[in-house]
Amino acid sequence: PVAAVEAQLYGTPVVGTAVGGVPEVVRDGETGAVVSFGDVEGFARAVLALLDDEAEWARASANARAWAVRAFD
């Protein structure tokens, strides 16, 4: 999932589903969230949790950038 890596390189937390390489690229609870495939409500909750909490967004953003640079640069 190149788009997820690129987003994290820019400091954007990622919410994705547990398919393909997403669980390997997105660190659940650290750089964003990984939810079960088909869990629409869980996906929406994860997105809203990041959007509604500036401190959580900032934490996940910093973690996403650091992780992506370290792991994929």
Side-chain angles (χ1 to χ4, degrees):
V2 175
V5 171
E6 290 174 342
Q8 291 177 105
L9 282 169
Y10 282 96
T12 304
V14 173
V15 176
T17 56
V19 296
V22 173
E24 296 169 20
V25 172
V26 179
R27 300 182 86 175
D28 188 38
E30 293 181 39
T31 67
V34 179
V35 298
S36 298
F37 179 75
D39 184 3
V40 176
E41 290 179 12
F43 189 90
R45 277 192 305 275
V47 170
L48 290 174
L50 285 168
L51 293 176
D52 288 342
D53 186 340
E54 289 182 36
E56 179 59 20
W57 176 275
R59 185 191 69 77
S61 175
N63 288 344
R65 170 86 175 131
W67 160 248
V69 166
R70 189 173 62 251
F72 304 105
D73 192 31

